Amino acid sequence: MQPEEVTDTAPRAAGRTLFTQGWRDVAFVHWAVDPAVVAPLLPAGTEPDVHDGASWVGLVPFRMRRIGVLGSPGLPWVGSFLETNVRLYSVDAQGRRGVVFRSLDADRLLPVLVARAAGLPYLWSRMRFARDGDRLTYTSRRRWPGPRGAGGRVELRVGERLAAPGPLERFLTGRWGLHQTTLGRTRYWPNEHPAWPLHRAELLTWDGDLLAAAGLPGVDGPPDSVLFSPGVDVRFGPRR
């Protein structure tokens, strides 16, 4: 089946609300790679999603804000933390485009434990976020379960708002679910949110080994795309 069209909002309803999240100060740093590099890292029944013949590896640091469960108000402390994920891009036999998380570092232990119990590769890290005008800095250093000390520093300068994001920007950010292996089966976890408000951004510093720790040691050098968003509010439905 052909992959579904890239859209700015979810192409289908996510279903009843399982949980909600706020994603804030989101940096999208991406490298183009040969699809053969990421294919072995994807769940069964999916294949690399491609744009202009390339698949993509994403490094995405941001602030998680107020996770809420089953429609309840978001939790102000335990549900708010810093996160940096390494992600790949997938498409399944039904044509649904998604992401596959190779790692998700967060600085709040309880959400890490809960997410790991649900099968997501969360890891506990020391993390910091700082803003100085249009310059944002994200730092992380892994604590558990390892490799201990893996992490890095991302510093960027936020530029102008994109009035009309192009095909690549829409491809990298218009993701309406994640593919995940649970008990030996590949499942799709859908989400909905408004269209991303996107800005151009300049990467000033990237110094770290999160990509290598996520099984991508050959992905290095300057990124091929750097974007920023002030964020969106997100709703997840049940896994399918």
Side-chain angles (χ1 to χ4, degrees):
M1 179 179 291
Q2 284 291 106
E4 62 193 3
E5 183 181 356
V6 174
T7 56
D8 295 326
T9 55
R12 72 191 68 80
R16 66 182 179 85
T17 300
L18 190 62
F19 58 92
T20 56
Q21 300 178 348
W23 298 339
R24 298 291 184 269
D25 294 315
V26 186
F28 297 97
V29 184
H30 283 93
W31 290 261
V33 299
D34 187 321
V37 171
V38 301
L41 305 177
L42 300 181
T46 69
E47 59 186 47
D49 199 3
V50 299
H51 178 82
D52 285 344
S55 197
W56 295 78
V57 174
L59 177 72
V60 184
F62 67 100
R63 294 190 301 116
M64 181 77 78
R65 183 177 182 273
R66 289 180 173 267
I67 294 177
V69 179
L70 300 176
S72 65
L75 303 170
W77 185 81
V78 72
S80 298
F81 48 87
L82 300 177
E83 179 176 318
T84 297
N85 61 63
V86 175
R87 69 192 208 178
L88 309 176
Y89 295 88
S90 52
V91 62
D92 62 25
Q94 298 180 51
R96 298 175 298 192
R97 300 178 187 266
V99 300
V100 173
F101 290 114
R102 292 295 298 168
S103 64
L104 304 104
D105 285 76
D107 69 343
R108 191 81 73 209
L109 179 57
L110 181 57
V112 167
L113 296 175
V114 172
R116 288 179 67 86
L120 292 170
Y122 266 86
L123 306 113
W124 186 31
S125 296
R126 293 184 176 90
M127 308 182 81
R128 291 192 177 184
F129 169 77
R131 180 196 297 272
D132 182 7
D134 62 354
R135 295 170 68 113
L136 306 179
T137 303
Y138 312 77
T139 59
S140 66
R141 189 64 58 194
R142 191 168 295 166
R143 305 173 74 171
W144 177 86
R148 189 173 178 86
R153 175 186 176 91
V154 175
E155 183 179 5
L156 58 83
R157 178 181 290 115
V158 179
E160 63 184 7
R161 171 84 180 263
L162 291 173
L168 176 60
E169 289 79 20
R170 298 175 68 228
F171 173 88
L172 294 175
T173 61
R175 296 282 139 177
W176 308 110
L178 66 95
H179 289 109
Q180 174 194 3
T181 301
T182 305
L183 300 177
R185 298 180 63 187
T186 299
R187 299 188 181 274
Y188 184 76
W189 205 335
N191 69 69
E192 297 181 67
H193 60 72
W196 285 101
L198 294 173
H199 293 248
R200 300 187 189 279
E202 176 190 3
L203 185 66
L204 304 176
T205 303
W206 160 235
D207 179 17
D209 55 0
L210 286 177
L211 301 181
L216 296 151
V219 180
D220 53 18
D224 297 287
S225 173
V226 184
L227 300 167
F228 170 80
S229 177
V232 292
D233 290 324
V234 189
R235 187 177 70 85
F236 281 82
R239 284 183 285 198
R240 299 172 181 169

